[in-house]
């Protein structure tokens, strides 16, 4: 297939010994095999689809869906088009993933740090938790939470009242919530802006104190005012609505988290946190012992050693694997479909069943999960850059 | 190769200063006020939880769902008149496991040390005392005897023929096909359709097959991704990244639907086979990333040294790079195997009656309505034992291969 240059006699033996030839030949063969397999598969697909009388295309998305969805964060009626149904599924997935990431981070970091506790009981508790939860399949845990824990809560007419603030029954969990979605968004925005402002104020104050050795009073007052302001907005301005038990069972007001959502969230958080705990533990262990000892000999107490010296250094090791844990959590959230929580996979599955278009639906699913994972990766990369070594 | 047990030459460990129980508690539980509060809270919560769990387990819980359905849990709807075949299979596995143990432990001074004897005693006592296993005690106790006997034999043979290791590997390989033959029938045995495969047997079968398939595939993908050849690199990277972006449920479910679509008309692979293919293709992408991390950890000098010795690329990879890379990657690889084992539960969603699936169909039986906690706890214990054993094994291999001193 290749003739040697310069009119020299074609030498097959030399060619077969030449690694450059093999490098090219190997790639060409690989490519041909892959193209061949792909052509075979796609040809079959076309033939099979033609036999079923369907043509590849996404135009079915504008047809009315015709199925109802149990719970949705955005408005949805059964005769809305498929794309809107899928958006509902996406919104449910996103709320599950967002809540899951926040709670997993808290629980996972706590469990990881707890394994360095000087309290023997806390240390053992953390180790037993990790060893127990990591070795049992997530789906089994999900069923356990859904059927054996939340399923055995009392019926609505006998529901549990928690401190007068929340209600628990076998239909779900009812928590206090701002009376309108707008107010809730406003509250979240307030927290974010407040946190950013506080962060910069704190940095300003630290820099000032490093440079001049004194001062920072004004910034401290500013921080206090900021804190009080955010607290006031959060407590009074949000018009919190606490759930109220109704005579004879049931609850009005507040936010109802369905049993499916709570079970899926609990399973995801408990499972993923065990992995996060191990990551945090490995990260903390990677900080050299001298750092602990130096910090201790400067007179910091154990809590401060962890918070100011060890943990910031451990972050460098912790952040990259955390990214893949968050992505695992995102992908595992599709298991919530097994307890009938209408997240994107569940809606996509119904869509496929009704339209008989597995390939298109699969592509949409793939694109959606890739997009969510991409966003997580972008954020985590930013975070990673912030905690890396700052060297000259 | 002579081996010396570490105890015989290492110097005596320093005296451990033993704390009295009160001093121990003071040091580890009540060292300061914060720890004291923590201890009190944890003890209260754990105590209440344990109390409620125990009262539930001995009063409210109705455990008869487990012994009544033990056959289903273990083998699914496998015809009960053919159970003998499963017992034979178990006996073969026990014999091989015992033999391998004996061969591996051929250099240990006493095979049946005190701890091992205690372990065997506990297992025997458990088999006799635990209600679900008691009816089969006459079959299970000989299994323990087979393991112990074969271990002694394996140790004796292993000492005589040091090269016996590869024969052991070969017999494991052959036993896999013997297992398919014994479970599925054919060649003189009654055929059992894969629809009747189920329970723990199906879980283990899919897990083992999945692991056996995804391991070479994952290594190939990892090598492909690290390859200097651009076409190979791009294809491997694209495959790995796409598969890692999709949740396994979607992969499995759509696999059940789409694999037939991508094949010529009429070609419909078996349901179990389809699930195993999807599971292996999925796991291979993750495994490839673990192996890649191992490959990256091998110093460049190793490759250059191998090349300068005149080894070509396949030999460099196979003899120099991969053995080192795989050794580094063992914990991650075993972790991936564990998650593949756990992922077999998802086959329950696509309608296979593996361990979790059979549990769900038992729970759908009106006689056992609402026995969720009992069944799921039982299944959880089974999965836990297997996964924990795997991670323990990985720890052992890691220690054994640790040549750093």
């Amino acid at each position: 297939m290749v003739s040697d240059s310069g009119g020299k006699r074609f030498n097959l033996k030399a060619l077969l010994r030449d690694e450059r030839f093999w490098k090219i030949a190997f790639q060409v063969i690989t490519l041909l095999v892959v193209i061949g397999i792909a052509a075979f598969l796609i040809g079959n697909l076309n033939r099979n689809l033609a036999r079923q009388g369907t043509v590849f295309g996404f135009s079915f998305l504008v047809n009315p869906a015709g199925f109802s969805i149990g719970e949705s964060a955005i408005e949805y009626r059964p005769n809305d088009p498929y794309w809107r149904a899928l958006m509902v599924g996406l919104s449910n997935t996103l709320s599950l993933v967002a809540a899951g990431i926040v709670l997993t981070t808290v629980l996972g970091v706590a469990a990881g740090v707890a394994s360095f506790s000087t309290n023997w009981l806390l240390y053992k508790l953390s180790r037993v938790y990790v060893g127990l939860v990591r070795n049992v399949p997530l789906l089994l845990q999900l069923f356990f939470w859904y059927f054996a824990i939340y399923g055995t809560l009392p019926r609505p007419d006998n529901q549990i009242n928690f401190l007068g603030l929340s209600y628990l029954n076998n239909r779900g969990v009812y928590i206090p919530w701002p009376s309108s979605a707008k107010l809730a968004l406003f509250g979240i925005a307030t927290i974010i802006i407040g946190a950013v402002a506080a962060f910069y104020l704190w940095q300003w104050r630290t820099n000032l104190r490093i440079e001049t050795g004194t001062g920072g009073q004004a910034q401290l007052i500013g921080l206090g005012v900021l804190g009080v302001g955010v607290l006031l907005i959060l407590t009074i301005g949000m018009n919190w609505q606490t759930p109220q038990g109704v005579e004879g069972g049931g609850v009005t007001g507040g936010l109802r988290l369905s049993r499916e959502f709570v079970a899926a969230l609990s399973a995801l958080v408990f499972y993923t946190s065990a992995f996060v705990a191990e990551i945090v533990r490995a990260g903390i262990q990677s900080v050299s012992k001298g750092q602990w000892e130096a910090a201790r000999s400067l007179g910091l107490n154990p809590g401060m050693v962890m918070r100011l010296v060890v943990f910031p250094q451990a972050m460098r090791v912790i952040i990259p694997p955390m990214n893949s844990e968050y992505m695992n959590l995102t992908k595992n959230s599709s298991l919530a479909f097994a307890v009938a929580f209408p997240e994107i996979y569940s809606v996509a599955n119904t869509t496929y069943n009704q339209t008989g278009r597995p390939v298109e639906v699969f592509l949409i699913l793939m694109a959606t999960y890739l997009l969510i994972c991409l966003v997580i990766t972008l954020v985590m990369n930013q975070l990673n850059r912030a905690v890396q070594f700052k060297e000259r | 190769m002579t081996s010396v047990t570490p105890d015989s030459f290492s110097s005596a460990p320093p005296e451990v200063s033993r704390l009295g129980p009160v001093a121990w508690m003071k040091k580890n539980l009540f060292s300061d006020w914060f720890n004291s509060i923590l201890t009190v809270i944890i003890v209260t919560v754990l105590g209440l939880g344990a109390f409620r769990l125990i009262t539930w387990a001995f009063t409210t819980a109705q455990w008869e769902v487990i012994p009544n359905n033990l056959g289903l849990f273990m083998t699914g709807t496998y015809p009960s008149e053919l159970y003998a075949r499963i017992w034979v299979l178990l006996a073969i596995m026990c014999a091989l496991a015992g033999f391998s143990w004996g061969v591996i432990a051929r250099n240990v001074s006493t095979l049946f040390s005190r701890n091992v004897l205690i372990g065997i005693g506990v297992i025997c006592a458990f088999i006799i005392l635990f209600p679900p296993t008691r009816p089969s005690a006459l079959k299970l106790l000989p299994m323990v005897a087979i393991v112990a006997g074969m271990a002694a034999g394996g140790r004796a043979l292993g000492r005589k023929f040091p090269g016996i290791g590869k024969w052991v590997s070969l017999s494991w390989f052959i036993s896999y096909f013997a297992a398919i033959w014994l479970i599925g029938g054919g060649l003189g045995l009654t055929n059992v359709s894969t629809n009747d495969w189920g329970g723990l047997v199906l879980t283990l079968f899919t897990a083992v097959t999945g692991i056996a398939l995804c391991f070479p595939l994952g290594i190939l993908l990892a090598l492909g991704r690290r390859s200097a050849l651009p076409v190979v690199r791009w294809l491997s990277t694209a495959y790995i990244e796409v598969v890692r972006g999709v949740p396994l449920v979607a992969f499995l479910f759509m696999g059940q639907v789409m694999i037939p679509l991508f094949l010529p008309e009429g070609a419909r692979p078996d349901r179990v086979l389809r699930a195993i293919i999807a599971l292996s293709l999925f796991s291979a992408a993750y495994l490839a990333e673990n192996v890649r991390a191992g490959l990256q950890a091998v110093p460049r000098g190793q490759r250059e040294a191998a090349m300068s010795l005149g080894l070509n690329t396949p030999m460099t990879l196979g003899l120099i790079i991969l053995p080192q890379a795989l050794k580094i990657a063992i914990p991650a690889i075993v972790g991936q195997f564990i998650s593949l084992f756990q992922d077999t539960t998802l086959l329950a969603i696509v309608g296979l009656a593996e361990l979790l699936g059979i549990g769900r169909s038992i729970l759908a039986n009106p006689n056992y309505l609402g026995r969720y906690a009992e069944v799921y706890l039982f299944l959880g214990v089974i999965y836990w034992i297997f996964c924990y054993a795997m991670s323990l094994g990985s720890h052992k291999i890691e220690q054994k291969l640790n040549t750093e001193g």
Side-chain angles (χ1 to χ4, degrees), chain B residues 44-277:
Chain B
T44 322
V45 172
L46 278 188
L48 274 178
F51 176 73
R52 286 190 61 180
L53 188 69
I54 290 170
T55 45
W56 170 81
F58 286 101
T59 56
T60 330
Q62 296 171 355
W63 292 103
E64 78 280 350
V65 58
I66 309 295
N68 288 355
N69 296 301
L70 202 63
L72 282 177
F73 279 122
M74 292 303 131
T75 59
T77 53
Y78 201 80
S80 53
E81 67 273 13
L82 300 178
Y83 276 180
R85 275 153 58 172
I86 306 290
W87 282 109
V88 171
L89 177 60
L90 184 61
I92 294 177
M93 292 296 148
C94 284
L96 270 176
F99 195 77
S100 315
W101 171 33
V103 171
I104 290 170
R106 59 177 175 262
N107 291 325
V108 178
S109 53
T110 45
L111 183 60
F112 297 106
S113 62
R114 205 184 51 173
N115 286 348
V116 174
L117 284 179
I118 291 175
I120 292 177
V122 167
I123 291 173
C124 291
F126 180 83
I127 290 173
I128 295 169
L129 296 177
F130 189 54
T133 56
R134 197 186 293 150
S136 338
L138 279 180
K139 290 175 188 141
L140 285 170
L141 288 178
M143 299 292 169
V144 179
I146 289 177
V147 172
M150 289 304 280
R155 181 158 172 266
L157 274 177
R159 289 190 157 180
K160 210 172 259 176
F161 311 105
I164 202 166
K166 45 179 180 290
W167 294 102
V168 175
S169 312
L170 183 70
S171 40
W172 275 110
F173 185 69
I174 294 169
S175 77
Y176 175 74
F177 296 97
I180 295 181
W181 177 55
L182 279 171
I183 301 173
L187 297 178
L189 291 179
T190 330
N191 260 321
V192 180
S193 130
T194 50
N195 289 335
D196 288 331
W197 298 21
L200 184 60
V201 171
L202 182 61
T203 295
L204 292 179
F205 178 75
T206 43
V208 170
T209 316
I211 286 173
L213 289 179
C214 84
F215 188 54
L217 199 57
I219 291 179
L220 281 184
L221 282 170
L223 289 177
R225 193 168 183 174
R226 295 265 299 160
S227 164
L229 313 175
V231 174
V232 177
R233 192 168 62 236
W234 293 332
L235 286 173
S236 310
T237 310
Y239 177 83
I240 292 172
E241 291 306 329
V242 166
V243 170
R244 272 161 38 97
V246 186
L248 177 58
V249 206
F251 209 76
L252 274 178
F253 214 100
M254 294 298 166
Q256 293 285 333
V257 177
M258 297 221 291
I259 288 180
L261 270 184
F262 280 112
L263 291 179
E265 200 183 342
R268 244 187 124 73
D270 182 83
R271 229 158 45 115
V272 172
L273 188 63
R274 257 182 290 167
I276 290 176
I277 291 174

Side-chain angles (χ1 to χ4, degrees), chain A residues 19 23 26-27 30-31 34 40-42 44-45 48-49 51-52 117-122 125 131-140 143-144 147-148 271 275 327-328 331-332 334-335 337-338 345 348-349 352 358-359 361-362 365-366 369-370 373, chain B residues 24 27-29 31 35-36 38-39 42-43 46 229-232 235 241-242 244-251 253-254 257-258 260-265 286 307 312-313 338 342 345-346 348-349 356 360 372-373 376-377 379-380 383-384 387-388 391:
Chain A
E19 203 161 298
K23 275 182 178 163
F26 185 64
Q27 294 193 66
T30 315
L31 200 61
V34 170
F40 172 71
L41 294 179
I42 290 173
N44 283 328
L45 177 69
N48 285 326
L49 286 182
R51 213 180 54 246
Q52 289 174 6
S117 169
T118 49
N119 188 322
W120 181 82
L121 213 53
L122 192 61
L125 192 68
L132 219 56
V133 169
R134 260 162 48 114
N135 286 323
V136 176
L138 173 59
L139 188 62
L140 182 63
F143 286 146
F144 191 81
F147 291 110
Y271 186 74
F275 289 86
M327 295 208 286
N328 280 345
K331 283 176 278 174
N332 283 338
S334 60
L335 288 188
F337 132 91
Y345 175 71
N349 202 30
Y352 150 68
V359 185
V361 170
F362 192 70
L365 257 187
M366 222 164 76
Y369 280 107
L370 277 179
C373 289
Chain B
W24 183 89
K27 176 166 180 285
N28 289 307
L29 297 179
S31 56
N35 270 347
S36 309
L38 218 55
T39 304
I42 295 174
V43 166
L46 278 188
L229 313 175
V231 174
V232 177
L235 286 173
E241 291 306 329
V242 166
R244 272 161 38 97
V246 186
L248 177 58
V249 206
F251 209 76
F253 214 100
M254 294 298 166
V257 177
M258 297 221 291
L261 270 184
F262 280 112
L263 291 179
E265 200 183 342
Y286 285 80
M307 287 294 195
N312 59 20
T313 307
I338 292 177
Q342 296 189 358
T345 51
L346 298 199
I349 296 184
L356 184 61
R360 272 160 66 78
Y372 296 111
Y376 288 140
L377 276 179
L379 297 185
Y383 279 110
W384 185 83
C387 294
Y388 189 72
S391 58

Side-chain angles (χ1 to χ4, degrees), chain B residues 323-380:
Chain B
Q324 298 185 57
L326 290 181
K327 193 182 95 181
I328 296 168
I330 281 177
I333 289 175
V334 176
Q336 189 51 43
F337 288 166
I338 292 177
S339 65
L340 188 146
F341 182 73
Q342 296 189 358
D343 285 341
T344 59
T345 51
L346 298 199
L347 301 187
I349 296 184
V350 296
L352 291 180
E354 50 68 71
L355 194 51
L356 184 61
I358 204 80
R360 272 160 66 78
S361 48
I362 288 170
L363 285 170
N365 179 340
N367 290 335
Y368 304 114
L369 224 51
R371 300 276 78 82
Y372 296 111
E374 293 86 340
V375 169
Y376 288 140
L377 276 179
F378 175 67
L379 297 185

Side-chain angles (χ1 to χ4, degrees), chain A residues 310-322:
Chain A
V310 175
F311 202 73
Q313 298 186 62
M315 284 289 269
R316 289 200 315 270
V317 183
I318 292 173
I319 299 269
M322 281 293 258

